[in-house]
Amino acid sequence: MNFFRGVMGGQAPGPQPSGAETIQRLCDRVASSTLLDDRRDAVRALKSLSKKYRVEVGSQAMDHLINILQTDRSDSEILGYALDTLYNIICNDEEEEQDESEDENAQKQADDLGAQFTDRFIQDPEHVTLLLALLEEFDFHVRWPGVKLLTALLKNQGVQVQGIILVSPMGVSRLMDLLADSREVIRNDGLLLLQQLTKSNAAIQKIVAFENAFERLLDIITEEGSSDGGIVVEDCLLLLLNLLKNNSSNQNFFKEGSYIQRMKPWFEVGDDNSGWSAQKVTNLHLMLQLVRVMVSPVNSPGATASCQKAMYQCGLLQQLCTILMATGVPADILTETINTVAEVIRGSQVNQDYFSSVNAPSNPPRPAIVVLLMSMVNERQPFVLRCAVLYCFQCFLYKNKKGQGEIVATLLPSTIDANSISAGQLLCGGLFSADSLSNWCAAVALAHALQDNLTQKEQLLRVQLATSLGKPPVSLLQQCTNILSQGSNVQTRVGLLILLCTWTSNCPIAVTHFLHNQENVPFLTAQISENLGEDERLVQGLCALLLGICIYYNDNSLENYTKEKLKQLIEKRIGKENFVEKLGFITKHELYSRAAQKPQPIFPSPEQMLFDHEFTKLVKELEGMITKAVHKSSEEEKKEEEVKKTLEQHDNIVTQYKELIREQDAQIQELKEQVSSASSQNEQMQVTITQQLSQIQQHKDQYNILKLKLGKENQSQGDGSQVNGLQTEELTQLRKEVEELRKEYTLLQTQLSGKDELINTLKAEGSVGGSDNTELLKELEALRSQVQSQIAEIDCMKTERQELLRRAEAGASNPVPDGDGWSDTAKIAELESRLAAQTTETERLKEEAKMSSESRVEMEQQHASATSTAAILQTENAKLQTDLQESKKEQDDLLMLLADQDHKILTLKKRLKDLGETVDDEDDLDARDQTDDDDEEEYYEDED
């Protein structure tokens, strides 16, 4: 113990050992001592020396300390001392505090020292696994230093430690348990540990997210007071950003878990927003960044759209707009809110419509768009705020033709309100102000109102501006070119050229208006042909782009500025190669690639604000087309036009066949429906006829029974029997009814004959029988009604027979004179004969109905034949389309072959000329021959 008193207590007499010797003795004591107390005291001594003698302790004691962690698991105190010692030699925080006054080299050495000790510790992955196992200990003196040590390891060698933890069983799950620890110190340091663990590792980010991290973190944020919370809220937000940024799987999980709805309360602000603490500003800034991560333009369009929809439905967008229009909000929070609102509405029609309806709380109320534009064109506003407003305006117009029309409409004469300030007036004011940044922002904003919208490009040509009193108004297009020709600031000219290029691209009418001013083309050619400095190169490139657009989208409506004449002008005044070189200045500019990366305009200074993201895409699209258009000869253009016309003709033929096929399909479908309907009706008629036949048979049987009964009764009564009660008037009425029934049968027979004729006509007409089917259906319906009436008549006769039977039975006991009896018997016989005739007619009607059904079947077969004919026509049409495609392909191959042959001929000519041979220019000869041929053709045409 004297040894420990010498180390820990007072000074011992004699020479004192050096620090390295003391550390060596302590390490020997740790390795050789059998008593736990001795080892504990030695480790505690090493801990006290580890900060001052970091190198010595790290190099000599690390292995012994790791061995302590493996062997002395039962003693939490010695484990805590060992973990603290390892943390002191690996962590660079203490060294950073001590080295603040030293030079950078000393600080770099300290950082390298921590990295070296970290590499030594993680050489064996089992050491990290051991540390993860120790984190399961609930004892504070073990768990807390273990968390700090693992955090330091991740800071120094994050990728390697992440790989070890990832393959360790339940490694990430053990670390997630730290968030549930009731001790805030461990929970808060656990947040710092998870921040380091999830940096730039998508696999670990997914595991952490599916370990219910979102739920736990949002609960902690709510418990700590949301935006009013402290540093813990900031740590939670930083961890959420790590989990969600550039991780589509976690973003989808966050959205599907309805966690977006839980973000809305974060942005509730009161009326008095003054005196925000620095921590609240930081928290709210991170919360806004979290919203932007979910709707970032770099995400997939589908995921962004679904998040935008959820933010609108839960009221988050409305809450952000409230902050946007609130007073007293710090400038950096307001700027970030504008950027956030911009990305929430970008490309979402519903969100854009809502944003256009938001009004500022002013008197009178003004649209939020107008208030924001007032800030953008105000040179006294901060630069980052003006950039944010421009970005918000661009996102409002992105894929929003309705919004583009509303902005352009505020510039048109019929919609201008003199009593209020409109967005169009603010843009025009900024476009022609003395501030170059306002000029550029207004020009780019107006260009976005025209992006991919031909209608608004044509509408904007109607805008007239009053320049000064007493002078006629000039068009907006003319005023832009006037300012451009005055040689203003480079930023102003770049903005105006961006506007003009966007305006004239894909709009031949705007090109015609631009070329109509005789001064524009000479100005552009002069700008391109001059040899100017580095600052003017971008302007030259944009002028070349504008002139190239005037060539490519020229409809040759102006005789002096047709495509061919403009190309000749370039060749004479500028030179084709020089023109293409100047055009390439745009994409070679250092700020071009920066603007092409993200839609948001981010520039370190106002002077570097020269390019717009959407304009870089337009340049990339037009550069190659303009280069080809300038180098093309008139003959090549004619050939291309002929090929285009041929292709258009082929397309028209294909379109006609497609329309014909559609019509035939519609007709076939209609005929199928008619056949199906007729078949179902025919089946119903057959069922009805079958039922009627069964009823007639029943009536026959009943009549035969009645006749047998009457015959037996007559024989038993003798010749003098008579039917009692059958009056002459009733027999006369019965005869009339039988006569009427016979007439109805005759009429039905006539109708059936007409039906036979109609069926024969249908057989002759074939597939055109669709309309006759309707007549047949009507005839069958009439037949059905006739049969129904017949059934009613038969029922009536049945009733009369029953009455006759009753009277005959009653007359058996009352004989009458012989003459009357024989007369009645004759009448009954006559009635029986007539009824038999009626039955015969019914049988014949059944046969005729059967024949009608067979005719119907034949007609269906003919219709099926017509359907197969239509299918054959479709097959022939498909074959014709295939032949057409092959013809197009052969034409393309022929054109390629001709181009190769021309190239080979030109190469051979050049080689012959290089060898000194005289070669006639066949192209010139062909051109003269072609001209002579054209003159001869015109002469013959005149003669005709």
Side-chain angles (χ1 to χ4, degrees):
M1 297 302 294
N2 291 332
F3 172 77
F4 286 107
R5 278 193 290 269
V7 174
M8 305 299 296
Q11 296 291 330
Q16 299 297 321
S18 63
E21 292 175 350
T22 303
I23 293 169
Q24 181 61 44
R25 292 177 183 176
L26 291 172
C27 291
D28 293 341
R29 178 69 64 176
V30 171
S32 60
S33 179
T34 58
L35 295 177
L36 179 61
D37 292 340
D38 291 345
R39 293 197 302 274
R40 185 188 306 118
D41 292 339
V43 174
R44 182 167 58 242
L46 287 172
K47 173 188 172 184
S48 64
L49 296 173
S50 59
K51 293 184 179 180
K52 184 176 181 180
Y53 299 100
R54 182 182 178 188
V55 177
E56 291 80 0
V57 174
S59 59
Q60 298 181 35
M62 180 175 287
D63 293 337
H64 300 295
L65 294 172
I66 294 173
N67 187 55
I68 290 292
L69 298 179
Q70 294 172 340
T71 58
D72 292 330
R73 294 285 298 273
S74 60
D75 187 71
S76 60
E77 188 175 359
I78 193 173
L79 289 177
Y81 291 149
L83 290 170
D84 283 332
T85 306
L86 289 171
Y87 173 74
N88 290 337
I89 63 178
I90 288 176
C91 180
N92 295 318
D93 294 343
E94 297 295 332
E95 292 293 336
E96 289 174 1
E97 293 178 3
Q98 296 175 8
D99 295 341
E100 285 179 356
S101 59
E102 298 181 3
D103 57 10
E104 295 181 357
N105 292 330
Q107 180 61 48
K108 185 177 180 181
Q109 291 177 0
D111 294 341
D112 293 342
L113 190 60
Q116 292 173 7
F117 286 136
T118 301
D119 288 336
R120 183 177 171 185
F121 184 85
I122 65 175
Q123 276 181 355
D124 187 356
E126 290 298 325
H127 295 164
V128 179
T129 305
L130 173 63
L131 187 55
L132 291 172
L134 290 174
L135 291 179
E136 293 184 347
E137 296 288 339
F138 187 74
D139 191 285
F140 180 81
H141 297 288
V142 178
R143 203 171 203 185
W144 186 38
V147 171
K148 294 194 296 181
L149 176 58
L150 188 56
T151 304
L153 293 174
L154 285 165
K155 284 182 179 179
N156 293 334
Q157 296 292 345
V159 177
Q160 292 87 336
V161 179
Q162 284 174 342
I164 297 172
I165 295 175
L166 188 60
V167 298
S168 176
M170 300 296 292
V172 179
S173 299
R174 292 171 180 171
L175 299 181
M176 284 299 299
D177 292 338
L178 298 173
L179 296 182
D181 200 304
S182 58
R183 295 159 292 190
E184 291 188 0
V185 176
I186 295 179
R187 184 198 67 182
N188 297 343
D189 282 348
L191 288 171
L192 300 177
L193 170 60
L194 290 171
Q195 285 181 25
Q196 298 297 327
L197 179 66
T198 55
K199 279 185 177 179
S200 304
N201 193 309
I204 294 180
Q205 290 169 2
K206 292 179 182 178
I207 297 174
V208 172
F210 282 95
E211 288 286 343
N212 206 23
F214 294 140
E215 185 74 29
R216 296 183 185 182
L217 292 173
L218 292 175
D219 289 341
I220 295 174
I221 292 173
T222 304
E223 293 170 2
E224 295 292 328
S226 296
S227 60
D228 294 323
I231 190 69
V232 178
V233 174
E234 179 182 349
D235 292 337
C236 290
L237 292 170
L238 289 172
L239 179 54
L240 284 171
L241 284 172
N242 281 355
L243 295 175
L244 292 174
K245 195 170 185 178
N246 299 324
N247 193 317
S248 58
S249 175
N250 284 0
Q251 289 174 6
N252 185 61
F253 182 64
F254 191 84
K255 177 183 69 68
E256 295 296 334
S258 301
Y259 297 119
I260 291 178
Q261 289 78 349
R262 296 185 61 178
M263 298 167 66
K264 179 188 174 184
W266 296 352
F267 303 102
E268 293 178 355
V269 297
D271 297 332
D272 185 12
N273 297 310
S274 60
W276 284 12
S277 64
Q279 187 61 55
K280 180 173 182 178
V281 172
T282 302
N283 292 344
L284 204 55
H285 197 274
L286 291 173
M287 290 172 177
L288 291 169
Q289 286 186 359
L290 194 60
V291 175
R292 294 185 63 184
V293 164
M294 297 298 296
V295 293
S296 174
V298 300
N299 297 343
S300 63
T304 300
S306 60
C307 291
Q308 289 172 334
K309 181 180 179 181
M311 290 178 182
Y312 173 76
Q313 291 177 345
C314 73
L316 180 58
L317 175 59
Q318 294 84 332
Q319 203 67 46
L320 293 174
C321 291
T322 302
I323 299 177
L324 204 63
M325 295 293 104
T327 57
V329 179
D332 52 347
I333 294 297
L334 181 60
T335 301
E336 189 65 18
T337 303
I338 294 173
N339 289 326
T340 306
V341 171
E343 294 184 352
V344 172
I345 67 174
R346 187 176 189 268
S348 174
Q349 187 65 53
V350 175
N351 294 3
Q352 289 167 341
D353 292 342
Y354 170 77
F355 182 69
S356 64
S357 66
V358 175
N359 289 323
S362 59
N363 191 16
R366 288 178 177 172
I369 297 174
V370 173
V371 176
L372 292 176
L373 288 178
M374 292 173 68
S375 301
M376 187 186 73
V377 298
N378 187 352
E379 56 184 311
R380 291 191 296 271
Q381 294 292 338
F383 172 63
V384 290
L385 178 64
R386 300 173 72 180
C387 290
V389 173
L390 176 61
Y391 182 47
C392 185
F393 189 73
Q394 291 173 350
C395 292
F396 169 68
L397 297 178
Y398 182 72
K399 294 184 179 179
N400 184 8
K401 294 188 180 299
K402 179 182 176 182
Q404 290 175 326
E406 292 173 353
I407 296 299
V408 174
T410 58
L411 288 166
L412 299 178
S414 58
T415 58
I416 293 178
D417 186 2
N419 298 324
S420 62
I421 300 176
S422 65
Q425 293 172 351
L426 289 171
L427 291 177
C428 280
L431 194 62
F432 307 125
S433 69
D435 180 31
S436 60
L437 183 59
S438 296
N439 301 153
W440 190 91
C441 291
V444 171
L446 198 56
H448 276 262
L450 307 176
Q451 195 79 36
D452 299 327
N453 196 326
L454 180 60
T455 303
Q456 302 310 322
K457 291 178 182 180
E458 296 175 356
Q459 287 292 322
L460 200 62
L461 296 172
R462 297 170 49 202
V463 177
Q464 299 291 322
L465 302 176
T467 55
S468 60
L469 294 175
K471 292 186 178 180
V474 297
S475 66
L476 177 61
L477 182 66
Q478 181 60 44
Q479 185 65 14
C480 291
T481 56
N482 291 341
I483 296 176
L484 187 63
S485 61
Q486 292 173 5
S488 53
N489 186 281
V490 172
Q491 192 175 37
T492 301
R493 285 183 288 162
V494 168
L496 291 172
L497 285 168
I498 288 175
L499 173 60
L500 291 174
C501 290
T502 306
W503 195 347
T504 53
S505 64
N506 200 24
C507 184
I509 298 177
V511 171
T512 303
H513 278 72
F514 179 80
L515 295 176
H516 189 72
N517 187 349
Q518 301 294 328
E519 300 176 357
N520 290 340
V521 174
F523 168 74
L524 293 178
T525 54
Q527 288 287 317
I528 300 169
S529 59
E530 291 180 3
N531 293 322
L532 303 175
E534 292 289 334
D535 296 338
E536 297 291 334
R537 281 193 169 189
L538 178 58
V539 176
Q540 287 184 311
L542 292 173
C543 289
L545 179 65
L546 181 56
L547 186 57
I549 291 173
C550 292
I551 294 174
Y552 189 80
Y553 292 107
N554 195 334
D555 57 0
N556 296 325
S557 58
L558 295 177
E559 185 178 354
N560 295 332
Y561 293 112
T562 61
K563 286 185 180 181
E564 190 61 32
K565 290 186 178 180
L566 287 176
K567 286 192 288 186
Q568 292 176 0
L569 183 64
I570 289 175
E571 189 171 2
K572 292 179 181 178
R573 299 282 182 88
I574 304 170
K576 292 183 179 180
E577 299 299 330
N578 189 26
F579 177 84
V580 174
E581 181 183 0
K582 296 293 177 69
L583 183 62
F585 286 166
I586 302 175
T587 54
K588 293 178 182 177
H589 199 278
E590 57 181 356
L591 298 177
Y592 175 86
S593 58
R594 179 184 298 178
Q597 292 174 358
K598 293 182 179 180
Q600 182 180 0
I602 302 177
F603 300 95
S605 64
E607 294 77 16
Q608 297 184 7
M609 202 168 183
L610 295 176
F611 282 103
D612 172 62
H613 177 75
E614 292 296 328
F615 181 70
T616 58
K617 295 196 292 187
L618 180 65
V619 172
K620 186 177 180 180
E621 177 186 350
L622 292 177
E623 185 178 8
M625 297 190 298
I626 290 174
T627 302
K628 291 180 181 179
V630 170
H631 285 291
K632 280 180 185 176
S633 63
S634 58
E635 294 180 358
E636 291 176 347
E637 289 186 352
K638 289 180 180 178
K639 289 179 180 179
E640 283 191 359
E641 290 179 359
E642 291 177 358
V643 171
K644 287 181 180 179
K645 290 180 180 178
T646 304
L647 293 176
E648 287 177 359
Q649 291 176 357
H650 288 307
D651 291 339
N652 292 334
I653 294 172
V654 172
T655 303
Q656 291 176 0
Y657 277 111
K658 286 181 179 179
E659 292 177 355
L660 178 61
I661 291 172
R662 290 193 190 98
E663 292 177 358
Q664 291 176 348
D665 288 339
Q667 292 176 358
I668 291 171
Q669 188 64 28
E670 184 179 356
L671 289 172
K672 286 181 179 179
E673 292 176 357
Q674 292 178 0
V675 169
S676 177
S677 177
S679 299
S680 61
Q681 291 181 1
N682 188 24
E683 291 175 357
Q684 293 177 0
M685 290 294 296
Q686 289 179 353
V687 171
T688 304
I689 291 172
T690 304
Q691 293 175 354
Q692 291 174 355
L693 290 174
S694 63
Q695 291 178 358
I696 291 172
Q697 186 63 37
Q698 292 176 2
H699 295 163
K700 281 183 179 180
D701 297 339
Q702 292 175 0
Y703 179 75
N704 292 331
I705 293 171
L706 176 61
K707 187 169 67 173
L708 290 173
K709 286 182 178 180
L710 289 175
K712 291 178 180 179
E713 292 171 357
N714 289 334
Q715 290 176 2
S716 63
Q717 294 176 3
D719 294 336
S721 64
Q722 66 174 11
V723 180
N724 186 27
L726 186 61
Q727 304 297 328
T728 305
E729 293 80 1
E730 293 176 351
L731 291 174
T732 305
Q733 184 179 359
L734 185 61
R735 290 194 192 98
K736 291 180 180 180
E737 289 174 353
V738 172
E739 188 67 26
E740 290 176 359
L741 186 60
R742 182 179 294 155
K743 291 180 180 179
E744 288 176 358
Y745 272 119
T746 305
L747 179 61
L748 185 59
Q749 183 179 2
T750 305
Q751 291 175 351
L752 285 175
S753 300
K755 175 185 169 185
D756 291 337
E757 294 176 0
L758 180 59
I759 290 173
N760 292 330
T761 306
L762 286 174
K763 290 179 180 178
E765 291 179 354
S767 61
V768 196
S771 60
D772 293 337
N773 288 343
T774 305
E775 297 180 3
L776 177 58
L777 293 176
K778 292 180 180 179
E779 295 295 333
L780 289 175
E781 187 65 26
L783 177 60
R784 184 166 57 185
S785 62
Q786 293 288 343
V787 172
Q788 292 293 337
S789 63
Q790 177 190 355
I791 292 171
E793 293 294 335
I794 292 173
D795 290 338
C796 181
M797 290 186 64
K798 179 180 177 182
T799 304
E800 292 177 354
R801 285 198 303 272
Q802 291 175 352
E803 181 66 21
L804 181 62
L805 178 61
R806 186 183 61 79
R807 291 181 180 181
E809 291 174 350
S813 58
N814 298 320
V816 295
D818 295 342
D820 294 335
W822 283 110
S823 175
D824 290 338
T825 302
K827 292 178 180 179
I828 290 172
E830 182 181 359
L831 180 60
E832 289 176 357
S833 63
R834 291 179 180 178
L835 185 58
Q838 179 184 1
T839 304
T840 305
E841 293 292 335
T842 302
E843 291 292 336
R844 194 171 65 82
L845 177 61
K846 175 182 174 183
E847 293 295 330
E848 291 176 352
K850 184 177 180 181
M851 292 173 62
S852 174
S853 176
E854 293 175 353
S855 301
R856 183 62 193 166
V857 172
E858 292 179 0
M859 191 172 68
E860 289 177 358
Q861 293 176 352
Q862 293 175 358
H863 179 267
S865 176
T867 304
S868 63
T869 304
I872 293 171
L873 289 175
Q874 281 185 320
T875 305
E876 293 179 352
N877 187 26
K879 183 178 179 182
L880 181 60
Q881 290 180 351
T882 304
D883 294 340
L884 180 59
Q885 294 296 330
E886 292 178 355
S887 176
K888 288 184 179 179
K889 184 176 179 182
E890 291 176 357
Q891 289 179 355
D892 293 339
D893 294 341
L894 182 59
L895 289 174
M896 292 295 295
L897 182 61
L898 290 174
D900 292 340
Q901 291 296 331
D902 290 341
H903 180 70
K904 290 179 181 178
I905 292 172
L906 290 175
T907 304
L908 292 174
K909 284 183 178 180
K910 185 176 180 181
R911 291 176 60 184
L912 289 173
K913 288 181 180 179
D914 293 339
L915 294 173
E917 296 293 335
T918 302
V919 181
D920 292 334
D921 195 347
E922 295 182 1
D923 293 340
D924 296 338
L925 293 173
D926 293 341
R928 287 196 296 270
D929 294 339
Q930 182 66 32
T931 305
D932 295 337
D933 294 339
D934 293 341
D935 294 340
E936 291 176 4
E937 290 176 2
E938 293 176 358
Y939 173 77
Y940 288 129
E941 289 176 358
D942 293 336
E943 288 293 327
D944 293 339

